[in-house]
Amino acid sequence: MAKRRKLFETIIQFLIRACGYSTVLFVAAIFIFLLQAGLPALFEASPASLLGLRWYPIESLYGLLPLLFGSLVVTIGAAVFSIPLGVATALFIAEVAPRWMREVLKPFVEILAGLPSVVLGFLGFLVLAPLIRTTLNLPTGLTALTGSILLAAMALPTIVSVAEDALDAVPKSYRDGALALGATKWQTIWRVTLPAARSGVLTAVMLGIGRAIGETMAVMMVTGNAPQIRWDGLFFPARTMTATIAAEMGEVAGGSAHYHMLFLVAILLFLISFLVNIIASSMLFRAKKRAERMLS
Amino acid sequence: MVNLALAWAEAYAEVQPTVSISVSGGGSGTGITALTDKTIQIANASRAMKQEEIETAQANGVDPKEITVAGDAIAVIVHPDNPIDQLTLQQVSDIFSGKINNWKEIGGEDRPIVRVSRETNSGTHVFFLESVIRLGRNDDKTIFSADTLLLPSSEGITSEVGQNLNAIGYDGLGYITPAVKMLNLAANPAGPFVGPSKETALNGTYPIARDLYMYTDGEPTGWVKEYLDWILSAEGQEIVAKLGFVPIS
């Protein structure tokens, strides 16, 4: 009996370990595949042309900068809209709203997370884009700004939900202590609860941004996909890296320079999200260390 | 045209499961060369064979027979309230290449021009690039202005042009909806300005129209003949219309 249990234990342990390792293995395999398909592009186009300002595959113009610019503008725009709104909503739900309202609000926010991005993209195209064109008096409503707002709407539920969980996990004694010292409710929230939940809130923000930078469908429908760099780019059409891959991969001839170039864009995208993740986890790590120091 | 050839081949697999047709792309020249080399039975071409191509084929013992299988026309579209009704191809070229940036430069209202195009992987995009922006000149390397909106679907184009007074777009005639206005076009400033329709596309008076051909070696026989008859039938031409091309019957 004991022997059987031990065998069972070993098998389970092995399975769990395999699952853990496989995640790393998958990421590594994906990266190797990307490198294999994308690196030839570096030899097929000169570095100067990769730094060009024009992306037009028909004439073999593969300037990556406009795509990078498009992705950055749209993602930063989305972050600017979604972070303050998301954290504030989480604070309201966790700290201010009465119990019954909280029980209504949280599920609704989570339903928002389940909306397929195509549906949001459709709404954005038919409702948001014309609205932006008429209210801001722009030549067209299909702009980076439209994409930013849509992405913010997509990142919001993630940010709210994860941040609210983190705020909720802050021990009640912290708040009681602050209130007992004579802090107002606002001071308690801003100086005690939010800093205590900092690492969780940061995770929430990073997950939200992660969703924004990788999103494709909705962005492709509303940003106009014109590869251009301009200082007022937020109010004009932009072409993101994800939209470029999605739009062009379907028809490209396998093994051609254009095909390799699209994979090079994918490598770039992979590296960017990798970087965002590393920065996020190093920030979390530092925050945790400081908290430990303060407690000891 | 490769999309159309693929759609036909796929649909025909259900009509006649015993015949399997494989389609490969590469451009009209590739297909004609392959027919000359007798490596294929049918060559799809979006242009007529040139005289020297016919001579090369005959020297190789191939007798190319031409069958018109569909028409292709591109409509240039604007918002229904846009006062512009007609343009020359040169004007359309200057608009899309970025030389003309305001509607008042061509007699319209004082509004910025928003250019709307299909994505670069669409055959319509390439046809428009070659026959309008470059006006058919092979040595011309003019391309779309960088701020041209590249929309992934025809619905996107008609809906943006249909609700934005600044916009000008184009698409295959079969995709155009009543929500937009089609412009009359002329190859030279003296006219005549002709609007796109099934008739003007097929009789050649509309300047951005072409016929799509299939070439066979000698009169088609056997399964090739059956396939071509099916393509020209109502069922085959329905697929033509569905893909935004102009049916010939």
Side-chain angles (χ1 to χ4, degrees):
Chain A
M1 191 67 197
K3 211 174 170 189
R4 255 186 73 187
R5 185 179 279 172
K6 196 157 178 234
L7 182 74
F8 189 65
E9 196 84 342
T10 326
I11 292 173
I12 289 286
Q13 236 179 41
F14 173 78
L15 280 178
I16 290 175
R17 191 170 297 170
C19 286
Y21 287 152
S22 68
T23 323
V24 181
L25 207 72
F26 283 142
V27 175
I30 288 171
F31 192 57
I32 289 169
F33 171 72
L34 283 180
L35 284 181
Q36 194 192 358
L39 284 186
L42 292 175
F43 304 102
E44 286 158 350
S46 67
S49 74
L50 292 179
L51 295 176
L53 296 179
R54 192 67 209 265
W55 174 272
Y56 194 68
I58 293 179
E59 282 299 322
S60 299
L61 295 174
Y62 298 115
L64 298 173
L65 292 180
L67 308 183
L68 205 60
F69 178 81
S71 279
L72 280 183
V73 168
V74 173
T75 310
I76 291 173
V80 167
F81 290 123
S82 63
I83 294 174
L85 202 57
V87 174
T89 311
L91 278 174
F92 175 76
I93 294 179
E95 304 295 316
V96 183
R99 193 87 213 170
W100 64 267
M101 197 190 264
R102 198 183 144 182
E103 249 131 57
V104 177
L105 280 178
K106 192 131 196 246
F108 266 93
V109 169
E110 273 154 14
I111 288 173
L112 197 61
L115 269 185
S117 66
V118 182
V119 174
L120 268 176
F122 206 61
L123 274 178
F125 187 83
L126 291 177
V127 182
L128 187 61
L131 195 72
I132 282 181
R133 187 186 72 235
T134 46
T135 51
L136 298 179
N137 197 20
L138 295 172
T140 173
L142 301 173
T143 62
L145 177 69
T146 322
S148 291
I149 294 174
L150 268 198
L151 284 186
M154 259 176 243
L156 257 183
T158 314
I159 296 181
V160 172
S161 180
V162 179
E164 201 270 342
D165 285 342
L167 288 168
D168 201 40
V170 173
K172 191 165 177 294
S173 56
Y174 281 37
R175 296 183 194 99
D176 292 346
L179 291 172
L181 286 172
T184 61
K185 184 142 196 179
W186 168 246
Q187 285 169 330
T188 310
I189 291 172
W190 194 244
R191 301 273 176 82
V192 177
T193 323
L194 191 59
R198 196 167 59 174
S199 73
V201 172
L202 208 64
T203 313
V205 167
M206 286 303 164
L207 283 175
I209 305 284
R211 174 145 198 221
I213 202 165
E215 170 52 41
T216 309
M217 219 33 230
V219 168
M220 191 158 86
M221 289 166 84
V222 301
T223 54
N225 303 322
Q228 53 177 346
I229 299 180
R230 48 192 299 166
W231 66 272
D232 49 358
L234 185 63
F235 300 102
F236 286 88
R239 188 177 184 89
T240 64
M241 295 191 281
T242 47
T244 305
I245 297 174
E248 295 173 16
M249 191 54 93
E251 308 278 332
V252 72
S256 63
H258 184 193
Y259 176 87
H260 294 143
M261 202 56 72
L262 290 179
F263 274 100
L264 190 68
V265 174
I267 292 175
L268 214 58
L269 204 56
F270 186 95
L271 290 178
I272 290 173
S273 55
F274 199 63
L275 207 70
V276 169
N277 274 321
I278 286 180
I279 292 173
S281 44
S282 74
M283 276 164 95
L284 280 180
F285 189 63
R286 221 180 301 155
K288 219 174 251 171
K289 272 205 152 158
R290 222 182 119 212
E292 275 161 14
R293 235 186 4 251
M294 274 161 67
L295 286 175
S296 62
Chain B
M1 183 178 181
V2 71
N3 301 340
L4 184 58
L6 277 171
W8 270 325
E10 273 169 27
Y12 196 63
E14 279 167 30
V15 179
Q16 196 62 266
T18 52
V19 178
S20 139
I21 295 160
S22 72
V23 179
S24 70
S28 301
T30 315
I32 290 166
T33 311
L35 184 75
T36 309
D37 295 340
K38 299 184 185 171
T39 52
I40 54 170
Q41 281 79 45
I42 303 171
N44 295 285
S46 55
R47 58 170 173 82
M49 267 176 92
K50 295 174 194 150
Q51 191 55 41
E52 62 260 33
E53 283 171 338
I54 296 174
E55 281 160 17
T56 320
Q58 282 164 346
N60 245 348
V62 172
D63 174 30
K65 281 278 173 293
E66 176 183 297
I67 300 115
T68 307
V69 288
D72 186 10
I74 294 181
V76 176
I77 51 176
V78 295
H79 190 278
D81 295 340
N82 192 321
I84 302 280
D85 284 317
Q86 58 183 43
L87 290 174
T88 63
L89 288 189
Q90 184 66 52
Q91 283 172 321
V92 180
S93 166
D94 288 346
I95 288 173
F96 275 91
S97 64
K99 288 193 199 104
I100 296 177
N101 289 301
N102 194 303
W103 284 106
K104 72 178 176 200
E105 292 172 54
I106 43 172
E109 296 167 349
D110 181 10
R111 294 177 166 279
I113 293 181
V114 171
R115 310 163 183 94
V116 185
S117 162
R118 290 291 298 274
E119 269 289 352
T120 50
N121 57 16
S122 137
T124 314
H125 179 104
V126 178
F127 180 29
F128 191 80
L129 175 72
E130 287 169 356
S131 64
V132 179
I133 294 186
R134 294 175 178 170
L135 297 164
R137 294 184 293 252
N138 284 332
D139 53 338
D140 196 333
K141 288 287 163 221
T142 314
I143 55 174
F144 282 85
S145 167
D147 58 4
T148 307
L149 304 188
L150 297 170
L151 301 187
S153 67
S154 288
E155 290 75 24
I157 289 174
T158 39
S159 109
E160 170 68 5
V161 175
Q163 54 182 240
N164 189 348
L165 256 166
N166 305 322
I168 181 168
Y170 68 88
D171 208 346
L173 186 55
Y175 290 125
I176 306 299
T177 66
V180 296
K181 181 168 83 176
M182 295 191 277
L183 295 180
N184 296 339
L185 300 177
N188 50 59
F193 289 85
V194 181
S197 70
K198 217 179 118 181
E199 291 73 37
T200 56
L202 292 176
N203 67 19
T205 49
Y206 184 66
I208 16 179
R210 60 182 178 183
D211 286 338
L212 302 176
Y213 307 99
M214 284 192 176
Y215 286 94
T216 56
D217 178 10
E219 285 297 334
T221 52
W223 71 265
V224 176
K225 183 173 166 26
E226 280 171 30
Y227 182 50
L228 288 171
D229 286 344
W230 174 80
I231 281 174
L232 298 175
S233 73
E235 202 180 331
Q237 292 296 309
E238 206 174 285
I239 294 172
V240 173
K242 213 192 286 172
L243 290 185
F245 295 101
V246 183
I248 49 170
S249 51

